[in-house]
Amino acid sequence: MGNRIQFVLNRLRERLWFKPIGMCLISVFFALMAKNSSYLDINDHVPNISLETLETLLSIISNSMLVIATFSVASMLSSYTLASNTATPRSFDLIIADDVTQNALSAFIGAFIFSIVSLIALKNNFYDKTGIFVLFIITLTTFGIVILTFVRWVDRVARLGHLGPTINKVEVATKKAFQKRLQNPTLGGIKIKTGFVEKYTVYGSEIGHIQRIEMSGLQKFAKEHDCFIEVVALPGTFVSPGYPLAHIYNMESFDGCDECIQKTFTIGRCRTFDEDPCYGLVLLSEIACRSLSPGVNDSGTAVDVIKSMIRLFVLWNKSDKKETTIEYDRIMVPEITISSMFNDSFRAISRDGAGDLSVSIWLQKAFYSLSKLECPEIQKACLEYARDSYLCSKKTLGIECDVDILSDMVKKMNDKVICD
């Protein structure tokens, strides 16, 4: 249940209307809360605040906040468009969920609503002496919050949408997804077992990417029918009608089980970071490939992406992996393979960057660095991809001296790569 709520909240965070509406409700609450201060019976102890002073402050806020909110929306849309054009359109949801920007827009709109509601209440003599004093304190606090938010937001919007911060955002989101998956490599289930005889395959009924799997629902079904379930399609997989979602083993009757299993798979149009660590690798690879296109020709961005890849794979290989608690002992889930992760990360960059010497060199440096990790799977993948990248670059570079430079560097790092 907790994972489902977190999944829904993450989707709401990607909607620009969510936080502003919440802030509007909070603003109305505070504007009306000042009325309740009259029950404190402290009229004789609070200073007398003139209505003109309070009305002036509220008018300033109401007149300026709507303009600032409109300006902030225009700046945000410009930044989002820039990010989609320079990085990758798939980074849009990640950028739009930027907390600082959403908080700024929410603060501006909330302050505007607060000032309007407070002015209406003030004009209609809604507050007594204590209420006016409390409203004055709340107004000053709101004014201070708006100023601090604006200063912080200006610093953020100057960077929002540019390649550097976008790459960093994708890397941070991928890192969080990695850490989450490292804690539950099999999503709380057990590793794949063999030896089952009877098998029934449940196929998808929708078209889209699997965004999450309701493991508790699968476990409940498996317990009720005394069976085992093997998940075939992990989060991130593109499925369609006829694509296998899961296998059911040791179940007496398979009638009516398709719909129950299909309901546990949340399928949407796009991939998400929540339970799909490889999605971030795909986004980073897309950013690098776009920077290597003839119209952009920015090899430095591709190099930055390769560095991000190195950091992420080092994180994935951390040796302090703890034994995870098995919550769903009847659900078998395959782990993400290093081969698929390398394919998402380096295949496209090796192809599109084969004609750029600096990118080719940095790819070899990445494979050499990662091959030093104490993981046989990573070491095997590094040798395979280093060899493929070298052969591709050798054919594409075109200039003999560039090929010689790359060959000499590869020989010094790992002579097994060159197998002419």
Side-chain angles (χ1 to χ4, degrees):
M1 180 62 72
N3 290 336
R4 181 189 299 175
I5 295 174
Q6 185 62 48
F7 178 81
V8 174
L9 288 176
N10 287 342
R11 301 290 74 73
L12 288 175
R13 284 184 60 236
E14 295 171 358
R15 301 291 181 267
L16 273 178
W17 54 263
F18 179 63
K19 283 189 177 181
I21 286 181
M23 189 59 70
C24 288
L25 296 176
I26 293 174
S27 301
V28 173
F29 169 77
F30 275 105
L32 300 178
M33 187 191 69
K35 172 67 175 177
N36 295 329
S37 60
S38 60
Y39 298 110
L40 298 177
D41 195 22
I42 56 174
N43 273 345
D44 297 334
H45 304 284
V46 297
N48 189 19
I49 304 297
S50 67
L51 292 178
E52 290 77 11
T53 301
L54 191 51
E55 288 178 6
T56 301
L57 278 175
L58 292 171
S59 297
I60 291 173
I61 294 176
S62 64
N63 291 333
S64 58
M65 284 303 101
L66 189 59
V67 176
I68 294 177
T70 304
F71 169 71
S72 66
V73 170
S75 300
M76 289 163 60
L77 291 177
S78 176
S79 299
Y80 299 153
T81 303
L82 178 64
S84 297
N85 292 336
T86 58
T88 170
R90 261 66 60 189
S91 64
F92 180 81
D93 289 339
L94 189 63
I95 296 173
I96 206 173
D98 180 73
D99 287 332
V100 174
T101 307
Q102 285 198 4
N103 291 342
L105 180 61
S106 303
F108 300 152
I109 296 177
F112 173 74
I113 297 297
F114 167 78
S115 62
I116 293 297
V117 174
S118 299
L119 274 173
I120 293 173
L122 204 62
K123 292 289 186 180
N124 288 277
N125 299 320
F126 187 69
Y127 305 106
D128 58 6
K129 181 182 177 182
T130 303
I132 292 174
F133 173 75
V134 172
L135 184 63
F136 178 72
I137 298 298
I138 296 175
T139 303
L140 289 180
T141 304
T142 302
F143 204 73
I145 291 174
V146 166
I147 292 175
L148 292 175
T149 302
F150 181 78
V151 172
R152 188 185 180 198
W153 172 76
V154 168
D155 178 72
R156 175 58 66 93
V157 81
R159 297 175 173 83
L160 192 66
H162 292 276
L163 271 176
T166 301
I167 293 173
N168 184 61
K169 279 183 175 295
V170 177
E171 181 181 346
V172 170
T174 308
K175 181 179 178 180
K176 291 179 180 178
F178 272 25
Q179 291 171 334
K180 184 177 179 180
R181 180 55 67 90
L182 286 172
Q183 293 173 357
N184 286 293
T186 56
L187 302 178
I190 60 177
K191 295 182 179 181
I192 302 296
K193 293 182 178 180
T194 58
F196 297 103
V197 180
E198 296 185 48
K199 180 177 78 171
Y200 180 80
T201 302
V202 177
Y203 297 96
S205 61
E206 301 178 50
I207 300 175
H209 292 275
I210 295 177
Q211 295 180 339
R212 71 179 302 270
I213 302 173
E214 189 66 43
M215 295 291 290
S216 59
L218 290 175
Q219 176 74 4
K220 182 180 179 181
F221 178 90
K223 280 189 173 182
E224 289 176 352
H225 296 83
D226 193 23
C227 63
F228 287 87
I229 299 175
E230 177 188 347
V231 173
V232 177
L234 289 172
T237 305
F238 182 80
V239 297
S240 58
Y243 192 97
L245 298 179
H247 299 314
I248 305 177
Y249 300 101
N250 295 356
M251 187 172 167
E252 294 182 1
S253 175
F254 300 108
D255 294 336
C257 64
D258 292 72
E259 186 177 354
C260 295
I261 300 299
Q262 288 168 357
K263 286 181 179 178
T264 62
F265 288 80
T266 302
I267 298 176
R269 294 177 63 89
C270 305
R271 298 173 70 172
T272 61
F273 284 95
D274 297 76
E275 296 181 7
D276 183 9
C278 291
Y279 183 44
L281 299 177
V282 173
L283 258 61
L284 287 170
S285 179
E286 287 183 0
I287 293 172
C289 290
R290 174 167 286 198
S291 70
L292 292 170
S293 63
V296 180
N297 197 24
D298 178 16
S299 59
T301 295
V303 171
D304 289 340
V305 168
I306 293 172
K307 294 175 183 177
S308 296
M309 299 287 195
I310 297 174
R311 288 191 290 268
L312 289 170
F313 276 102
V314 170
L315 171 66
W316 184 264
N317 185 65
K318 275 192 172 179
S319 57
D320 57 347
K321 298 175 184 177
K322 299 179 181 178
E323 291 293 329
T324 57
T325 303
I326 296 176
E327 299 180 54
Y328 314 107
D329 57 354
R330 290 179 174 269
I331 313 301
M332 296 178 287
V333 182
E335 296 186 29
I336 298 176
T337 63
I338 293 297
S339 176
S340 64
M341 294 173 68
F342 263 67
N343 186 66
D344 290 334
S345 303
F346 298 113
R347 181 69 68 187
I349 301 177
S350 297
R351 177 199 63 213
D352 294 346
D356 190 297
L357 179 61
S358 61
V359 175
S360 300
I361 288 175
W362 266 99
L363 280 170
Q364 295 299 330
K365 286 181 178 180
F367 298 136
Y368 176 75
S369 300
L370 295 177
S371 67
K372 298 303 179 181
L373 300 176
E374 296 180 0
C375 176
E377 285 184 273
I378 291 181
Q379 292 172 357
K380 180 182 178 181
C382 284
L383 180 59
E384 175 187 346
Y385 278 81
R387 184 172 294 157
D388 291 346
S389 177
Y390 170 73
L391 293 176
C392 191
S393 297
K394 186 177 178 181
K395 292 180 180 180
T396 311
L397 282 172
I399 302 176
E400 187 175 349
C401 63
D402 286 350
V403 176
D404 293 339
I405 292 173
L406 181 63
S407 299
D408 291 341
M409 192 203 69
V410 171
K411 287 178 182 178
K412 290 180 182 179
M413 291 193 300
N414 189 353
D415 57 0
K416 295 180 181 179
V417 173
I418 301 178
C419 53
D420 294 336

